[in-house]
Amino acid sequence: MQLGIVGLGRMGANIARRLMRGGHSVVAFDVNSEAVAGLAKEGAKPARSLKELVDLLTPPRAVWVMLPAGKITEDTIDSLAVLMAAGDTVIDGGNTYYKDDIRRAAALRPKSLGYVDVGTSGGIWGLERGYCMMIGGDKDVVERLDPIFATLAPGVGSIEKTTGRDGRDPRVENGYMHCGPAGSGHFVKMVHNGIEYGLMQAYAEGFEILERKKDDKLPEAERFDLDLADVAEVWRRGSVVSSWLLDLTALALAENGKLDNFAGFVDDSGEGRWTIEAAIEEAVPANVLSAALYDRFASRLPQRFADRLLSAMRAKFGGHVEGKLKP
């Protein structure tokens, strides 16, 4: 299948690569011409502009926009709406606010343009591991694009089958799900990221409790100089708290147990705030998720070990670069 991709950053370029490895044809565009040229050497068809990208695609076209949420994505989709024709589809795979998806889909519908929102999880590891995808949009459009999603998804892998799922959508077990109408995919991904904040915070706080057990302010008999890399490693093996985030924590601690290569400035990229806003709108108590978000705000002040660990995890799963501390 043919797909246009706009945005060749950490995830966009690897999405293109995974698709090409799966036999799909990719037309690629980015404002960074070097990124386009680099991907062209790997087999993508290069485009020098959005117009050229659309012209190089065969109708019915599909263009995946993989850009930061906000004005740049909004402007790109507005431009594509002018260039594309009835029957074409715009896919937003970034971390867009779900209410923007609902508005965009409604705006594109009179032009007979499809709109699909894809909450995409996998970070810098997605090229090899695949991408977990939460998809919103009209059923017929999503089904037409299924070859794209099936190739990007991680597949069943070695995860044990859940009992009682007979007769349910088999795509879910392959790592992608049609959640419902436009906006639903990004809504599910938004809550996913809110939960991620809470999980990361729990690990960070727990490991700080372990790390401070050697503090000389404690009675000598109660001080333990624990090897945190080994603690993380043993918890990976059979523990109820094992997870991919713990795997990445173990990796970071094995590389540098003090984590002094991180300042501990922990950004929030929007989804955590939006999750709390949704909780408020729905009158759902979200104590843990709220506290995790607020701790990220606190991380931009004088630093703690927990904040350095959060920075380490974000770097490991998504290649995120730390922001600068306020003076």
Side-chain angles (χ1 to χ4, degrees):
M1 193 169 183
Q2 189 185 46
L3 182 71
I5 297 182
V6 179
L8 305 177
R10 287 194 305 262
M11 289 184 67
N14 279 346
I15 284 172
R17 292 184 179 103
R18 188 170 175 91
L19 288 172
M20 289 189 292
R21 287 182 184 182
H24 299 279
S25 173
V26 169
V27 180
F29 171 70
D30 193 287
V31 293
N32 181 349
S33 59
E34 292 182 2
V36 177
L39 205 61
K41 291 178 182 178
E42 300 180 42
K45 189 174 290 186
R48 293 168 294 182
S49 66
L50 286 178
K51 183 179 185 308
E52 184 173 13
L53 177 134
V54 172
D55 289 344
L56 288 170
L57 294 169
T58 303
R61 306 172 185 87
V63 177
W64 184 303
V65 179
M66 200 66 184
L67 297 168
K71 189 175 186 301
I72 186 171
T73 294
E74 194 76 34
D75 290 347
T76 300
I77 292 175
D78 287 346
S79 297
L80 288 170
V82 174
L83 296 168
M84 298 173 81
D88 294 345
T89 300
V90 176
I91 306 165
D92 182 359
N95 283 325
T96 289
Y97 187 39
Y98 77 99
K99 292 184 180 180
D100 289 336
D101 293 313
I102 296 170
R103 171 179 52 79
R104 290 176 190 159
L108 294 178
R109 197 167 291 119
K111 302 177 183 180
S112 296
L113 293 173
Y115 182 86
V116 173
D117 55 289
V118 182
T120 311
S121 181
I124 58 176
W125 302 83
L127 176 60
E128 303 300 333
R129 290 172 58 104
Y131 299 91
C132 174
M133 291 169 289
M134 296 135 271
I135 305 164
D138 292 343
K139 184 174 184 290
D140 59 334
V141 177
V142 172
E143 289 184 350
R144 180 173 69 82
L145 296 169
D146 188 75
I148 295 293
F149 303 134
T151 298
L152 291 174
V156 174
S158 59
I159 298 174
E160 185 177 349
K161 186 177 177 67
T162 301
T163 57
R165 284 198 54 85
D166 294 342
R168 303 182 73 90
D169 187 347
R171 294 174 294 183
V172 174
E173 293 179 341
N174 283 278
Y176 66 110
M177 173 185 177
H178 181 204
C179 301
S184 64
H186 276 148
F187 182 78
V188 174
K189 176 57 162 52
M190 177 191 80
V191 177
H192 163 283
N193 282 25
I195 293 171
E196 179 186 296
Y197 280 32
L199 291 172
M200 292 172 71
Q201 189 65 34
Y203 282 128
E205 292 178 7
F207 275 91
E208 182 163 28
I209 294 169
L210 294 170
E211 194 270 341
R212 291 203 180 190
K213 191 59 174 169
K214 62 186 178 185
D215 197 315
D216 58 12
K217 294 178 182 177
L218 295 171
E220 186 174 358
E222 297 178 12
R223 295 179 212 157
F224 305 139
D225 190 0
L226 301 167
D227 188 320
L228 300 191
D230 282 357
V231 172
E233 190 64 30
V234 77
W235 284 356
R236 291 181 63 216
R237 304 179 184 281
S239 165
V240 71
V241 299
S242 60
S243 71
W244 186 37
L245 280 174
L246 184 60
D247 295 345
L248 299 174
T249 298
L251 182 61
L253 289 170
E255 291 175 351
N256 182 349
K258 294 183 178 180
L259 300 178
D260 52 12
N261 51 328
F262 293 98
F265 184 108
V266 186
D267 266 319
D268 67 289
S269 51
E271 299 90 339
R273 300 187 190 210
W274 299 335
T275 301
I276 302 309
E277 288 175 4
I280 293 170
E281 290 172 358
E282 300 165 15
V284 174
N287 304 329
V288 172
L289 307 192
S290 299
L293 175 64
Y294 295 151
D295 199 84
R296 293 196 174 198
F297 299 159
S299 78
R300 295 153 209 178
L301 301 171
Q303 301 310 290
R304 302 179 306 152
F305 183 87
D307 299 324
R308 296 198 298 275
L309 184 56
L310 285 171
S311 284
M313 284 189 280
R314 294 184 84 245
K316 287 299 177 189
F317 76 74
H320 299 291
V321 178
E322 285 189 312
K324 293 184 178 179
L325 292 173
K326 294 180 180 179

